[in-house]
Amino acid sequence: MSHTRLLFLSFVIVVAGSARADLVNKNVETVVDISSQLAKISNKVTVENVGKTTLKSLIFGVPAHLKERTSFVTAKVGEHLLRVTETKLSGQDGGFWKVDLRSDLAAGRTLQLNIDLVLSRALVPHPGQITQKEKQLVLFEGNVYFFSPYLTEKQSLTVNLGTNSVESYARIQPVSQSDNKLNYGPYEKVQPFQEERLNIHYENNSPFLTITRLERLIEVSHWGNIAVEETVDIEHQGATLKGSFSRYEYQRESQSGISSVKSFRTALPASAVDVYYRDDIGNISTSHMRVLSDSVELELRPRFPLFGGWKTHYTLGYNVPSYEYLFNQGDVFVLKMRLMDHVFDDMYIEHLITKIILPEGCHSIELSAPYAVERLKDTLHHTYLDTKGRPVISVSKRQLVENHIDDFELRYKFAKVLMIQEPLLVITAFFALFVLVIIYVRLDFSISEEEEHSRVDREHKDK
């Protein structure tokens, strides 16, 4: 695994006593993007060590009401990812993370880093029910100030709404609205852990699709193919539809059902072939596939448009060549594939289960995930020509977003001589069949002439 891959977000809880008071946020520029169903927060932070000793780490956080909604956190200096671990501060109930710096920050020195967060379910439909003709309004509750255990000398905040249709917003001066943006600040001398609710009520007709369950099945074959199948359950978690649905109005009026979802695009690997898209009824023919230079774009159109509260279920599968993802040296094999893949833009996954089916005879299996996952109990998968069964490695994780798309590494051992096991079983089966046929055709089940005469004589005597 590369050094960059090692700098993943770890969710191991580390108990910290208190934050260092000799660090100051000289300047913070925060951008909040709430134009989709996710809230994406980007902080450009300039910190200064005002103490007398070097610092190796710093801490940042989110208020308590955003803690459970934080799906992804990352920090980097330039293009270099930093190690981030979840931590706790005594006397505080918010969510906090510790960032390990690449090099020690000497006294009197400054450092600029970027801290990004992705919040899920931070946008609440308000009202919760709308008719087919109404537009969708949502309510966002954030924090105006950069939530930090350190003093912030200066901060500015920009909120990208994606629309200029705003019902109301927090008027914490200075604040101004320009087109589809709200500009807050600059604010000076923001105290540690200072909170001020950022309430924004605005129009948002983006697809509020949630993948309630995604089961990804990867079946590895040493004969040159890897089969991938995804079983997806999707629910539109926007404002629910009030009243009946009129397909006539939906097709006639362009603004009818503006927050509904007719279709969405998913991206497959560029080498994907034999793609299929079906549900419980059968194959769904209302899909379109386009082969691009770096991917295969598949437009998926459910059998009916999705309104708030409506659900759909489908299965998507394809094959890819194993040489792009499976590497070996002797009897040691390494599989490098995505733990999850792109389903649609700005996606949110409540529950992911990924299963990897390895060839029969694999052993010494070691899994390295790009982030913390729950390793489920290993099982066996039985299919044709199997004797003991194929090992199945399963992992589970909740609350994922598109930023979680990353590769896992699965290392295992496999004796190549076992590759001839299935051909030998087929040859042995055919050989046994031929032997049985030969024996059968050589056996004489007819009645002999002497036995026939004896039977006739007995019949005459009886008469």
Side-chain angles (χ1 to χ4, degrees), residues 290-462:
R290 185 172 61 169
V291 179
L292 305 177
S293 59
D294 57 347
S295 65
V296 174
E297 185 182 82
L298 187 63
E299 182 183 5
L300 304 180
R301 184 180 293 270
R303 296 183 184 273
F304 49 85
L306 297 178
F307 284 83
W310 292 18
K311 303 177 182 179
T312 187
H313 168 88
Y314 68 88
T315 300
L316 174 67
Y318 55 91
N319 294 319
V320 291
S322 59
Y323 69 84
E324 293 187 357
Y325 305 97
L326 187 62
F327 312 93
N328 78 291
Q329 185 175 6
D331 290 343
V332 178
F333 288 77
V334 178
L335 176 68
K336 293 183 179 182
M337 291 192 72
R338 289 181 172 180
L339 194 65
M340 54 169 281
D341 213 334
H342 178 274
V343 181
F344 49 81
D345 293 338
D346 298 316
M347 64 183 184
Y348 170 61
I349 302 176
E350 283 187 350
H351 189 199
L352 167 70
I353 296 179
T354 299
K355 298 181 179 180
I356 306 108
I357 302 177
L358 298 177
E360 188 178 30
C362 295
H363 61 94
S364 302
I365 302 171
E366 299 177 2
L367 175 66
S368 177
Y371 34 79
V373 296
E374 179 187 358
R375 176 79 177 266
L376 305 179
K377 183 179 179 180
D378 295 349
T379 57
L380 293 175
H381 176 74
H382 297 274
T383 183
Y384 58 90
L385 299 179
D386 287 340
T387 55
K388 297 180 180 179
R390 306 184 182 190
V392 181
I393 313 302
S394 303
V395 297
S396 173
K397 186 169 178 60
R398 296 182 181 274
Q399 201 174 358
L400 300 101
V401 292
E402 196 169 356
N403 305 73
H404 284 101
I405 297 178
D406 207 344
D407 292 345
F408 67 87
E409 286 191 3
L410 187 64
R411 184 181 301 269
Y412 61 91
K413 293 183 179 180
F414 177 81
K416 293 183 179 179
V417 68
L418 294 178
M419 292 185 65
I420 64 174
Q421 174 179 311
E422 292 184 357
L424 285 178
L425 288 174
V426 175
I427 293 171
T428 302
F430 276 104
F431 179 76
L433 177 63
F434 292 152
V435 170
L436 290 175
V437 171
I438 292 172
I439 295 174
Y440 176 79
V441 299
R442 290 184 176 274
L443 293 177
D444 188 4
F445 296 99
S446 62
I447 301 175
S448 64
E449 187 175 346
E450 293 181 358
E451 291 177 348
E452 180 66 20
H453 286 306
S454 299
R455 185 182 63 80
V456 173
D457 290 342
R458 286 196 300 271
E459 290 177 355
H460 283 301
K461 289 180 181 181
D462 293 339

Side-chain angles (χ1 to χ4, degrees), residues 103-352:
S103 57
D104 295 349
L105 183 62
R109 299 297 299 272
T110 60
L111 175 69
Q112 186 178 94
L113 68 157
N114 294 296
I115 300 174
D116 299 331
L117 304 93
V118 179
L119 309 182
S120 57
R121 291 187 170 177
L123 307 179
V124 181
H126 187 74
Q129 289 185 330
I130 57 175
T131 62
Q132 186 173 329
K133 294 183 178 181
E134 291 180 312
K135 298 178 180 180
Q136 180 174 263
L137 301 177
V138 300
L139 180 64
F140 172 71
E141 294 185 357
N143 187 32
V144 174
Y145 304 119
F146 179 62
F147 197 70
S148 170
Y150 318 114
L151 174 70
T152 300
E153 293 187 351
K154 184 179 180 181
Q155 182 202 350
S156 60
L157 169 66
T158 301
V159 183
N160 293 327
L161 303 173
T163 178
N164 55 9
S165 178
V166 182
E167 298 292 314
S168 63
Y169 59 90
R171 299 182 180 275
I172 302 166
Q173 300 299 329
V175 59
S176 62
Q177 179 181 3
S178 59
D179 295 332
N180 58 353
K181 293 183 180 181
L182 294 175
N183 301 302
Y184 287 87
Y187 303 107
E188 297 182 354
K189 302 299 180 180
V190 179
Q191 298 302 310
F193 310 114
Q194 186 170 347
E195 292 187 53
E196 189 70 51
R197 285 295 178 96
L198 175 65
N199 296 330
I200 305 175
H201 190 205
Y202 67 105
E203 179 184 332
N204 188 338
N205 296 304
S206 301
F208 272 57
L209 293 181
T210 295
I211 302 172
T212 56
R213 179 182 172 89
L214 170 60
E215 184 170 319
R216 179 173 168 88
L217 183 65
I218 303 172
E219 187 170 359
V220 180
S221 172
H222 286 167
W223 293 96
N225 184 72
I226 298 178
V228 180
E229 184 177 88
E230 295 179 344
T231 303
V232 187
D233 292 310
I234 293 180
E235 179 181 359
H236 192 308
Q237 294 188 345
T240 56
L241 179 64
K242 182 170 61 176
S244 60
F245 167 66
S246 172
R247 184 169 288 275
Y248 172 74
E249 292 183 358
Y250 188 76
Q251 294 178 340
R252 188 187 66 173
E253 301 178 9
S254 60
Q255 295 298 313
S256 178
I258 191 173
S259 62
S260 66
V261 179
K262 298 179 181 178
S263 64
F264 53 89
R265 288 184 173 89
T266 186
L268 306 180
S271 56
V273 294
D274 304 327
V275 181
Y276 58 89
Y277 169 48
R278 60 172 181 253
D279 58 9
D280 294 334
I281 299 176
N283 184 57
I284 305 176
S285 59
T286 55
S287 59
H288 303 281
M289 188 173 71
R290 185 172 61 169
V291 179
L292 305 177
S293 59
D294 57 347
S295 65
V296 174
E297 185 182 82
L298 187 63
E299 182 183 5
L300 304 180
R301 184 180 293 270
R303 296 183 184 273
F304 49 85
L306 297 178
F307 284 83
W310 292 18
K311 303 177 182 179
T312 187
H313 168 88
Y314 68 88
T315 300
L316 174 67
Y318 55 91
N319 294 319
V320 291
S322 59
Y323 69 84
E324 293 187 357
Y325 305 97
L326 187 62
F327 312 93
N328 78 291
Q329 185 175 6
D331 290 343
V332 178
F333 288 77
V334 178
L335 176 68
K336 293 183 179 182
M337 291 192 72
R338 289 181 172 180
L339 194 65
M340 54 169 281
D341 213 334
H342 178 274
V343 181
F344 49 81
D345 293 338
D346 298 316
M347 64 183 184
Y348 170 61
I349 302 176
E350 283 187 350
H351 189 199
L352 167 70

Side-chain angles (χ1 to χ4, degrees), residues 62-122:
V62 295
H65 72 283
L66 298 178
K67 179 180 178 181
E68 298 300 326
R69 298 175 180 178
T70 305
S71 297
F72 184 81
V73 179
T74 185
K76 59 183 180 180
V77 174
E79 296 300 323
H80 300 283
L81 289 175
L82 304 178
R83 180 178 175 85
V84 181
T85 52
E86 191 173 357
T87 186
K88 290 183 178 180
L89 293 182
S90 58
Q92 296 292 329
D93 56 358
F96 295 95
W97 291 266
K98 176 184 175 184
V99 180
D100 295 327
L101 304 178
R102 296 183 69 241
S103 57
D104 295 349
L105 183 62
R109 299 297 299 272
T110 60
L111 175 69
Q112 186 178 94
L113 68 157
N114 294 296
I115 300 174
D116 299 331
L117 304 93
V118 179
L119 309 182
S120 57
R121 291 187 170 177

